[in-house]
Amino acid sequence: MTDIQAPETQHPSQQAMELIDILWRQDVDLGARREVFDYSHRQKEHELQRRREQEEEKKQQRLREEEKALLAQLQLDEETGEYIPRPLPSALPPPTKQSTVTPLEATQNVNFPEGDDSMSFDECMQLLAETFPLVETVEHTSACLDPAVAPDPSSSSSNHILMSAKEPALPQDSLSPAPVIADQRAPEMEQAWMELWSLPELQHCLNLQMEEPTAYLPTSSPEVQDGNYTFYPMSKSTNVGPNPEDACPPTFINTFEEVFPDMVTPEPMMVNSNLDAEGFCETFYPDPVLCAPESGEAHVMEHKESGTLPELPKKPPLNTMDLHSHSPRDALERCKQEAMPELPDSDSGISQNTSPHASSPEKSVYGDGSFGFSDSEVEELDINPGSAESDYSEMFSLNFQPDDFQQNALMVPHTGQSDQQQDKKPKQHKSKPAEDGGQSDGPFTKDKQKRRSEVRLSRDEQRARALQIPFAVDMIINLPVDDFNELMSKHQLNEAQLALVRDIRRRGKNKVAAQNCRKRKMENIVGLEYELDSLKEEKELLQKEKSQTGSSLRKMKQQLSTLYLEVFSMLRDEEGKRYSPSDYSLQQTTDGSVFLVPRTKKTHVGKSKEHKLASAD
DNA sequence: AGGCGCTGTCATGTC
DNA sequence: ACGACATGACAGCGC
């Protein structure tokens, strides 16, 4: 209950989001108030109404088929499985072509189209609306019956209840011509109700009513008298969401199956017997309505329906796109893409084309929001009026003849050139407004670097084209000097053309040179960085070596000092006294002799040292 | 809006 | 002297 009324508070105020909003909310919005305020909702309801009419028509057809199968099997074409048209009493619709004529059928068949493909959807809808006002009302009423109180449709009491439910509503339904007709149709209607009860969609409706049973009781709900109200249950079935139990509690399903066992088997027989069901749906549902999302049990059940219960998108009946692709499969695909990206496919049962033909090739090529113009092309269009013509053509009054130019350019043998430039040539032609009105033929590239270079090159190409230079720009730039001169000599070019060719060649070569220069510069930078790194590593190594050497030196000095003192400690003078290191020092000559030298008296070091050492030894 | 990087182009110098 | 090439400087463009 709460989730039913919640959407009312969330009534969308954004008109732009109406469609999506309604599609996604209608499954929970069971109240009638919303439709009162929601115009789009009412539109949707109209479509549902129409659909219900068609559904009713199908049910009638099925009924007739069953009768026919029992009474007139001769009409069944054993080879094709189709019923052969029977010329008798009533001109029945081609899908089933039955012979049994009931009052209801008579009223139907009077105006019902012969399944003519030439009949437009709107016409069919109009015809159905005119033909089955009562059926619509009856079905609305039935859809609103509380399944808890709805007995077995096969019982006679069911009819009583149904009719009693229907009758109070009819007089108030100004749109319905109905009561008298309904009474006349009573026997057939009972059978029709049996069929109706077996429809999965009705089951969904009843499921919803179980959630709010009183809301659709025909005697108590004012919405019953409103022809618009019936669409909510149906919508609910279409948008149950990922969790089917949200829409159809298991407890109710069980109860429902017990009460209406026929409903739970949504009749594969219908698919078999009604051989033209799909064609019928294709005829009368050329609209994306077939592709509203659904899931869970609703999905499975309605899948068996094979398109008899198309879903309800809020779309205009026929827009440009609909006219473009008129088949329901196309509409189905479109709708699947638009309305249910995350849901499993909507089934509606109409044989869906599972192969994704997302968009037409034209759309994939051009439909990028840019109307076929790439940024570079737009830029070129902006450039066009200025550079080439103003610089050369206007100056020399040259007429541009792209075909001639192209022919000439193609006649000249090409030397190897970058793909980039090769790809640009057709684009250049496209950029000429006089040539094709700016329509792009090639795919839309987003490589801006490439585009930029293309734009740059296109300037010279445009200039060359403007002056009718009979060579390709890449040739002008990349030919060796001798070949280039030979080429120039072969063609009689005027001064402007020669100047342009020279400029093109100069610019092209300078461009390459600049690229090479920058490349070298970058390589130099990289090389210098690498060299810098190497030098840093070398510096670290040298510093490490230096520190190691220093530590080694210090260690050796310390060892020397220790040894020095040890030697001194062992030296004695004549009196047996030690020499003071502060007064004497040990010195070693080149020949290995060691002398004890007084620090203050170095003049006669020689003898005394030798003496001392000798004495020391 | 300004900075930054990329690219084309021009001017100039060198070979 | 001329052409090719190299390079600094500048402008345009896109991010």
Side-chain angles (χ1 to χ4, degrees):
Chain A
M1 289 294 251
T2 56
D3 59 342
I4 291 172
Q5 294 177 354
E8 295 181 6
T9 62
Q10 303 171 1
H11 191 279
S13 60
Q14 315 95 321
Q15 293 297 322
M17 298 297 294
E18 274 185 354
L19 174 60
I20 297 173
D21 175 72
I22 291 170
L23 282 173
W24 285 94
R25 291 166 185 265
Q26 61 187 1
D27 57 332
V28 291
D29 188 355
L30 299 178
R33 295 191 186 100
R34 176 172 181 165
E35 76 204 26
V36 174
F37 298 103
D38 194 342
Y39 172 73
S40 59
H41 225 93
R42 290 195 294 270
Q43 282 185 327
K44 177 193 67 182
E45 291 169 354
H46 269 291
E47 286 189 354
L48 263 175
Q49 214 165 358
R50 289 186 223 154
R51 222 167 282 118
R52 283 189 174 276
E53 294 165 1
Q54 295 168 1
E55 181 182 328
E56 182 64 19
E57 166 64 15
K58 280 189 182 179
K59 286 182 290 187
Q60 296 295 334
Q61 290 177 353
R62 262 192 294 135
L63 189 62
R64 284 170 290 189
E65 284 179 358
E66 291 174 358
E67 293 175 355
K68 181 187 72 174
L70 293 174
L71 302 176
Q73 292 190 359
L74 293 176
Q75 297 165 332
L76 182 63
D77 189 336
E78 300 296 341
E79 292 182 358
T80 62
E82 294 179 349
Y83 289 101
I84 300 172
R86 188 171 177 178
L88 271 186
S90 65
L92 290 176
T96 53
K97 296 179 177 63
Q98 297 168 351
S99 60
T100 305
V101 180
T102 65
L104 177 59
E105 289 167 349
T107 59
Q108 295 173 355
N109 296 331
V110 168
N111 295 327
F112 193 79
E114 284 286 336
D116 190 359
D117 290 337
S118 63
M119 195 164 191
S120 69
F121 176 77
D122 287 336
E123 291 172 346
C124 293
M125 291 297 102
Q126 177 71 17
L127 205 53
L128 284 171
E130 295 174 356
T131 307
F132 303 107
L134 174 63
V135 173
E136 170 187 341
T137 303
V138 169
E139 181 168 331
H140 292 175
T141 306
S142 67
C144 299
L145 284 176
D146 187 352
V149 298
D152 191 329
S154 59
S155 66
S156 59
S157 61
S158 69
N159 188 30
H160 171 71
I161 294 176
L162 292 173
M163 294 305 290
S164 63
K166 170 185 62 182
E167 285 170 358
L170 289 176
Q172 302 181 28
D173 190 349
S174 61
L175 297 178
S176 175
V180 177
I181 300 176
D183 293 337
Q184 292 173 350
R185 295 174 182 172
E188 289 78 14
M189 287 307 300
E190 179 176 359
Q191 210 161 7
W193 275 110
M194 296 176 65
E195 293 294 332
L196 186 62
W197 279 111
S198 64
L199 289 178
E201 185 170 8
L202 179 58
Q203 296 173 22
H204 292 305
C205 298
L206 294 174
N207 293 345
L208 299 181
Q209 293 160 18
M210 279 301 287
E211 296 180 3
E212 192 170 14
T214 58
Y216 295 96
L217 285 176
T219 56
S220 61
S221 176
E223 286 82 10
V224 173
Q225 284 118 22
D226 188 343
N228 296 332
Y229 79 97
T230 55
F231 301 111
Y232 288 95
M234 187 172 184
S235 302
K236 173 81 174 185
S237 69
T238 66
N239 290 319
V240 263
N243 186 10
E245 295 182 3
D246 294 340
C248 189
T251 56
F252 171 70
I253 292 177
N254 296 334
T255 306
F256 190 78
E257 290 178 1
E258 292 174 3
V259 177
F260 306 108
D262 292 339
M263 299 179 187
V264 194
T265 61
E267 52 216 62
M269 78 73 149
M270 182 188 117
V271 180
N272 294 333
S273 60
N274 192 358
L275 297 172
D276 286 337
E278 182 174 339
F280 180 86
C281 290
E282 290 186 2
T283 302
F284 289 94
Y285 298 97
D287 199 90
V289 294
L290 300 173
C291 23
E294 66 177 351
S295 62
E297 293 183 5
H299 173 78
V300 175
M301 294 173 70
E302 296 195 7
H303 206 67
K304 298 175 183 177
E305 283 286 337
S306 178
T308 58
L309 295 176
E311 303 307 334
L312 226 232
K314 273 289 300 181
K315 277 197 162 188
L318 286 176
N319 54 22
T320 326
M321 288 299 295
D322 294 330
L323 293 174
H324 182 66
S325 67
H326 214 66
S327 78
R329 292 185 177 92
D330 293 338
L332 197 62
E333 290 299 320
R334 285 202 309 275
C335 190
K336 285 166 67 177
Q337 295 167 3
E338 295 171 2
M340 44 173 306
E342 84 260 17
L343 292 176
D345 76 16
S346 81
D347 70 325
S348 74
I350 287 187
S351 60
Q352 300 178 5
N353 189 1
T354 55
S355 66
H357 64 300
S359 60
S360 65
E362 302 85 13
K363 190 169 185 178
S364 64
V365 173
Y366 301 122
D368 222 345
S370 60
F371 298 95
F373 284 95
S374 68
D375 291 349
S376 63
E377 289 167 346
V378 174
E379 187 176 6
E380 290 170 8
L381 287 177
D382 293 338
I383 293 170
N384 241 350
S387 58
E389 256 86 358
S390 63
D391 290 348
Y392 298 96
S393 298
E394 295 176 0
M395 188 185 308
F396 296 95
S397 300
L398 290 175
N399 292 327
F400 173 49
Q401 298 174 356
D403 292 338
D404 294 343
F405 164 75
Q406 182 70 8
Q407 204 169 6
N408 291 334
L410 289 177
M411 288 187 337
V412 180
H414 268 227
T415 59
Q417 180 58 338
S418 64
D419 295 336
Q420 168 185 340
Q421 291 171 339
Q422 299 289 347
D423 294 340
K424 278 172 253 168
K425 289 197 178 61
K427 220 173 177 182
Q428 288 298 312
H429 288 279
K430 286 180 295 182
S431 67
K432 289 293 181 180
E435 293 179 16
D436 57 3
Q439 271 295 344
S440 174
D441 292 334
F444 181 54
T445 174
K446 292 184 179 300
D447 188 354
K448 293 184 173 59
Q449 306 282 347
K450 186 176 180 180
R451 265 189 292 154
R452 196 150 48 184
S453 64
E454 288 174 359
V455 171
R456 285 300 182 185
L457 189 61
S458 71
R459 292 175 180 173
D460 277 341
E461 286 191 346
Q462 290 175 9
R463 291 165 183 156
R465 200 177 305 168
L467 288 191
Q468 296 177 289
I469 303 299
F471 332 111
V473 170
D474 55 345
M475 287 180 58
I476 295 173
I477 296 171
N478 294 290
L479 276 181
V481 183
D482 294 340
D483 296 340
F484 177 74
N485 291 332
E486 182 180 356
L487 187 64
M488 292 297 105
S489 63
K490 286 181 179 177
H491 296 79
Q492 297 296 327
L493 301 178
N494 59 33
E495 188 175 350
Q497 287 174 320
L498 287 174
L500 176 60
V501 169
R502 280 194 294 269
D503 285 344
I504 289 172
R505 186 175 175 85
R506 176 180 54 78
R507 279 193 290 266
K509 287 197 172 294
N510 186 251
K511 183 177 75 176
V512 177
Q515 290 171 351
N516 293 332
C517 180
R518 283 161 180 151
K519 184 179 178 182
R520 279 194 299 272
K521 188 184 291 182
M522 292 302 298
E523 290 173 352
N524 288 335
I525 291 172
V526 172
L528 289 174
E529 289 176 348
Y530 178 78
E531 188 177 352
L532 181 63
D533 291 339
S534 300
L535 290 174
K536 285 181 179 177
E537 290 179 0
E538 186 179 355
K539 180 184 176 182
E540 291 178 357
L541 288 175
L542 290 174
Q543 287 177 343
K544 188 181 294 183
E545 185 179 349
K546 178 185 174 183
S547 64
Q548 289 176 354
T549 304
S551 64
S552 176
L553 180 62
R554 283 192 299 273
K555 187 176 181 180
M556 291 177 68
K557 283 183 178 179
Q558 191 162 2
Q559 290 175 352
L560 178 63
S561 175
T562 303
L563 185 62
Y564 188 88
L565 293 176
E566 184 179 355
V567 170
F568 253 94
S569 65
M570 298 172 69
L571 293 177
R572 297 290 187 275
D573 60 4
E574 295 87 354
E575 299 172 355
K577 294 180 181 177
R578 292 183 176 184
Y579 290 100
S580 171
S582 59
D583 295 337
Y584 296 91
S585 66
L586 289 172
Q587 295 185 1
Q588 187 177 23
T589 61
T590 55
D591 61 354
S593 302
V594 177
F595 298 93
L596 182 63
V597 181
R599 293 186 182 278
T600 57
K601 300 176 182 178
K602 295 185 179 180
T603 51
H604 35 285
V605 166
K607 275 190 178 178
S608 61
K609 275 192 284 188
E610 199 163 6
H611 169 72
K612 293 295 180 183
L613 286 178
S615 65
D617 291 336

